[in-house]
Amino acid sequence: MKEVCSVPRAGISNRNQQDSLPHHVAMIMDGNGRWAMQQGLPRTAGHKKGVDAVRELVKYCRHRGIFYLTLFAFSSENWSRPQEEVRVLTDLLCASIDTEARLLIDNDIKLSVIGDISRFPDSLQKSIERTCQQTLNNCSMTLTIALNYGGQWDIQNACKSIARMVESGSLAAAEISQQLIESHLCTHDLPDPDLFIRTGGEIRISNFILWQLAYTELFFTDTYWPDFDVDCFECALNDYAERQRRFGNIECQIKESA
Ligand code: IPE
Ligand code: IPE
Ligand code: MG
């Protein structure tokens, strides 16, 4: 696959400098297993290396002024992987949430988790709760990790809770708005992502935040997650800065409102 960032985008510039940096970046960190196999290592070595890439990216986003970073770390479908890989992944999650808590506190980063964490071991659930609590009042950046998350699951839950309100008579079906649906999604306290990045070469969303990506700018790269560094991230940011987001309008309307 050709790197999108190497293709110059002709004639279309962004509205202003402020808009050229995404406020919210969402990422599918893919390619750990293939990275490891390429090095002749077991797949789990790729997950271990992937943790280092997460740490560097979080630090860089904080430094760069990205306000929201949302990372897909474990999907609701990933349970069907070999048991040993799932075990290594949950152990790694547990260890890294504990060890990286200091980094989050020192950098004024709030940790939040979306997804159904009740299926994870108690130790991981406790680490998540402790670190989320410790960083609750941090306000320079919000790091959201999607764990046992699925976009369809999220929408299904929102439907169920809205249906219960209709059933109980506290809401009329005609009152169901897009805003109401959004307020029942796990991401209700996050703005929609401006930029979505998927590493690892696959051009798909894999049941990540489906509703929320409606107008997000998409960026795909062949780079495997463990190799995704600051330069790769800058490449995605540069590509984003050249895009014109029209949200259904036409180009001259965007220029007028700039
Ligand atoms: C992403 O890397 C990590 C998780 C899904 C947990 P993969 O493990 O999917 O790596 P590939 O795609 O098989 O190379
Ligand atoms: C998506 O990657 C999930 C995460 C990165 C957590 P997958 O590797 O599970 O996605 P598919 O199976 O290639 O679509
Ligand atoms: Mg994968």
Side-chain angles (χ1 to χ4, degrees):
M1 196 207 320
K2 200 146 95 186
E3 285 287 341
V4 187
C5 59
S6 62
V7 183
R9 211 167 289 268
I12 299 176
S13 64
N14 230 350
R15 281 160 285 177
N16 58 44
Q17 198 53 38
Q18 213 185 341
D19 283 339
S20 67
L21 190 70
H23 197 49
H24 182 179
V25 179
M27 302 194 62
I28 296 186
M29 310 180 289
D30 196 26
N32 290 352
R34 281 166 289 159
W35 178 90
M37 307 280 274
Q38 205 177 48
Q39 325 267 323
L41 298 168
R43 287 179 53 86
T44 49
H47 297 314
K48 286 177 190 146
K49 187 80 180 158
V51 174
D52 299 335
V54 173
R55 185 185 313 108
E56 292 312 308
L57 182 76
V58 169
K59 284 198 278 189
Y60 191 67
C61 283
R62 170 72 175 87
H63 156 79
R64 198 65 169 74
I66 306 289
F67 209 74
Y68 297 97
L69 176 66
T70 299
L71 303 176
F72 203 7
F74 192 93
S75 78
S76 41
E77 289 73 34
N78 289 149
W79 293 108
S80 55
R81 292 189 176 198
Q83 256 191 341
E84 176 57 14
E85 180 164 340
V86 171
R87 191 193 60 75
V88 170
L89 277 167
T90 49
D91 285 354
L92 259 178
L93 283 165
C94 194
S96 25
I97 287 174
D98 277 341
T99 54
E100 305 305 333
R102 192 70 253 159
L103 173 90
L104 302 179
I105 294 164
D106 290 346
N107 287 280
D108 196 32
I109 301 169
K110 175 177 165 179
L111 176 71
S112 108
V113 168
I114 54 171
D116 178 9
I117 63 165
S118 67
R119 194 168 163 186
F120 288 115
D122 279 353
S123 53
L124 176 52
Q125 292 183 48
K126 288 209 171 74
S127 296
I128 291 169
E129 279 154 24
R130 189 170 47 243
T131 308
C132 288
Q133 192 57 39
Q134 281 175 325
T135 61
L136 189 64
N137 296 317
N138 292 354
C139 54
S140 293
M141 178 177 148
T142 298
L143 169 66
T144 303
I145 313 273
L147 291 176
N148 189 20
Y149 177 88
Q152 291 172 335
W153 166 85
D154 200 1
I155 294 169
Q156 181 190 10
N157 277 346
C159 290
K160 279 186 189 165
S161 76
I162 293 170
R164 277 194 294 271
M165 291 166 75
V166 174
E167 237 171 26
S168 73
S170 63
L171 182 79
E175 290 172 320
I176 300 173
S177 61
Q178 289 181 15
Q179 285 79 2
L180 183 83
I181 295 171
E182 277 159 15
S183 72
H184 284 81
L185 295 172
C186 287
T187 49
H188 57 88
D189 50 1
L190 299 175
D192 286 342
D194 302 296
L195 173 64
F196 160 93
I197 302 171
R198 180 175 185 143
T199 64
E202 310 298 354
I203 316 286
R204 54 178 173 251
I205 304 295
S206 299
N207 201 14
F208 193 27
I209 41 177
L210 302 175
W211 172 287
Q212 300 86 336
L213 290 176
Y215 259 107
T216 302
E217 297 298 322
L218 308 178
F219 181 91
F220 297 91
T221 171
D222 283 344
T223 305
Y224 293 142
W225 175 251
D227 286 333
F228 189 84
D229 60 11
V230 161
D231 290 342
C232 298
F233 187 61
E234 276 299 332
C235 183
L237 292 182
N238 287 338
D239 191 71
Y240 174 83
E242 292 303 316
R243 298 191 189 190
Q244 186 190 53
R245 304 184 73 187
R246 290 193 289 278
F247 299 97
N249 294 294
I250 60 170
E251 193 174 345
C252 64
Q253 293 175 292
I254 305 300
K255 285 188 173 150
E256 273 163 26
S257 68

